[in-house]
Amino acid sequence: MKVYLVLPLVAFALAACEREDREYRANPMTAESQEKIALVPLSAGPSGPTEYRSGLGKEYEENAFHISQGQRFYTWFNCNGCHANGGGGSGPALMDDRWIYGGQIENIVQTIREGRPNGMPSFRRKIPDDQIWEIAAYVRSMGRNVPKAAAPGRKDDMSPGPAEQRRPPGQVIDGGQVPPSAQMPQ
Amino acid sequence: MKRLVPLLLIVTLALAGCQGWQSALDAHGPAAHTLANMFWIFVAVLGTVWFLTMAALLLALRRRRPVDADPLVTDPGTEKRMTMTISVAIGLTLVTVITFTGLSYAAQKVLYSHKDGALTLLVTGQQWWWEVTYEDEQPSRVFTTANEIHIPVGEPVLIKLEASDVIHSFWIPNLTGKMDAIPGRQNQIQIQADRPGLYRGQCAEFCGLQHAHMGIVVIADTREDFERWRDHQVSSAIAPNDPERQRGMEIFLSRPCIMCHQVRGTDAGGKVAPDLTHVGSRRTIGAGTLTTTRGNIAAWIVDPHGVKPGVNMPTIQLEPDEVQPLASYLEGLK
Ligand SMILES: [Cu+2]
């Protein structure tokens, strides 16, 4: 009888190990993940645009280690110079629900890798691919679009709001706005 | 006799540990001398106390008592002797404790009194390496290096300690005691070496995965040698003039390396990882993990996580024929 109680407990405990599975080395075979995403549901011809999401995103955004590495790289690579701690500056806010270029992790990876026309620089070949995924996972955690258990806890330095982990779960709404500071002719 | 041989061996080995480039008992600076003296005084006094206690215990165990002695019968002579003995013991204990407290206080005075030094360094502990900045009144003579400190012999050097992520602790056993490096505040410690040499140090506060590979070396030189070294470190990297190293430099500058590392005199301006301007002149890479050779640099670049799992340098994809030029470019940054 007791065994039936213990077994699920052990299973639960072991399941938690995945949360912090530490994958240090990138996939040595591919230089860049090949996701295909569409920004609008329109395409020429009767069928919709083809999309391809490999599922890699889940591995990153459900993993506490990747997200916290992303948090480190977010300041290392100076994203906070334009986006502050997520509240936005010369770049749009990243912690809100609204996304100009889509809020799924694949969209954010693409935003970072390719850059965006109104002043978001491209980081292709400046940041290795797996770090881009880690940063994107962290960006997702800002609006709490990742599981609560994986989102970062308290930051060491001063933070404008509650830690990512304590924010209410967010949703992704398309149609963000370019901040006025980025709309000026540059 | 058979048992004695391994015992002797262990004791010799243990004693051999007292000598060397990372040992608090092999003191080479005033602060370390103070600490080593304290250590030996404590060992001597506490050792004596321990032996006396053990001897008394043995005596008490071996002494024969009459089997049918009546516990209630007391003899005034014995009572008096017992009172005397216990009073003396308590008195000695008090004297020891007070002396020790006084000694510790005096030692602390010595350890934390900072003389005006000619040199001030800012050392920042990071996961898992040390950033070292040599301060100077002239801004053009300020420079940054990593994991290696050079000091002039016989002169006090002030070290300001900071941390960028978690708490670390700076410890050069041959020169001084430990001092924590804490994020958001600055601690200070002074080091001085009595004679030229190489002194190894180690992070002494658990700081994560690679805490064990967070070493630092202090190299004490004569004043002239030190000045020569410093003048060289202040200068920018010299552009390579052989084709292989030129190719290596192109590879370096077109890769993510520049986001984290700085090489003064080039476009690489990252400030979050060790400054590589003169990496080839340092004894080790990876905070004391590997000696600086071309092969080791190549091994590090190809797979940093094989050398130091979990390190904050990502594996960066390179073509097989790019590794050699890159490694020889870095090795040549003397
Ligand atoms: Cu440590």
Side-chain angles (χ1 to χ4, degrees), chain A residues 10-74:
Chain A
V10 169
F12 278 138
L14 285 178
C17 299
E18 296 257 306
R19 172 188 174 271
E20 237 190 295
D21 206 7
R22 298 184 175 212
E23 192 72 57
Y24 301 135
R25 294 187 177 100
N27 181 345
M29 298 312 286
T30 53
E32 248 175 38
S33 50
Q34 308 285 334
E35 327 278 319
K36 283 202 191 74
I37 52 162
L39 291 181
V40 283
L42 305 172
S43 82
S47 57
T50 38
E51 290 214 338
Y52 168 66
R53 296 174 198 259
S54 63
L56 194 61
K58 259 177 115 55
E59 264 170 51
Y60 281 90
E61 65 185 26
E62 291 181 359
N63 182 301
F65 173 69
H66 285 314
I67 297 180
S68 71
Q69 285 298 93
Q71 183 175 33
R72 182 193 298 272
F73 294 132
Y74 182 83

Side-chain angles (χ1 to χ4, degrees), chain A residues 22-32 65 69 72-73 75-78 123-131 134 156-157, chain B residues 126-129 164-166 183 209 254-260 272-273 303 305-307 309-317:
Chain A
R22 298 184 175 212
E23 192 72 57
Y24 301 135
R25 294 187 177 100
N27 181 345
M29 298 312 286
T30 53
E32 248 175 38
F65 173 69
Q69 285 298 93
R72 182 193 298 272
F73 294 132
T75 44
W76 275 21
F77 298 139
N78 201 26
F123 287 90
R124 167 172 274 132
R125 286 176 78 80
K126 298 225 171 69
I127 306 181
D129 202 57
D130 52 322
Q131 266 72 39
E134 288 178 335
D156 280 340
D157 36 34
Chain B
Q126 318 215 5
Q127 283 173 325
W128 292 278
W129 58 283
S164 69
D165 33 41
V166 298
L209 222 51
S254 62
R255 296 299 158 133
C257 320
I258 54 172
M259 299 288 287
C260 298
V272 294
D303 188 15
H305 292 270
V307 178
V311 68
N312 286 315
M313 168 154 158
T315 315
I316 287 151
Q317 287 189 344

Side-chain angles (χ1 to χ4, degrees), chain B residues 132 209 269 300 326:
Chain B
V132 182
L209 222 51
W300 174 270
L326 187 51

Side-chain angles (χ1 to χ4, degrees), chain B residues 126-128 130 166-169 202-208 210-214:
Chain B
Q126 318 215 5
Q127 283 173 325
W128 292 278
W130 304 94
V166 298
I167 301 180
H168 303 275
S169 184
Q202 173 70 36
C203 176
E205 175 75 42
F206 182 69
C207 57
Q210 286 300 333
H211 165 64
H213 288 143
M214 188 168 162

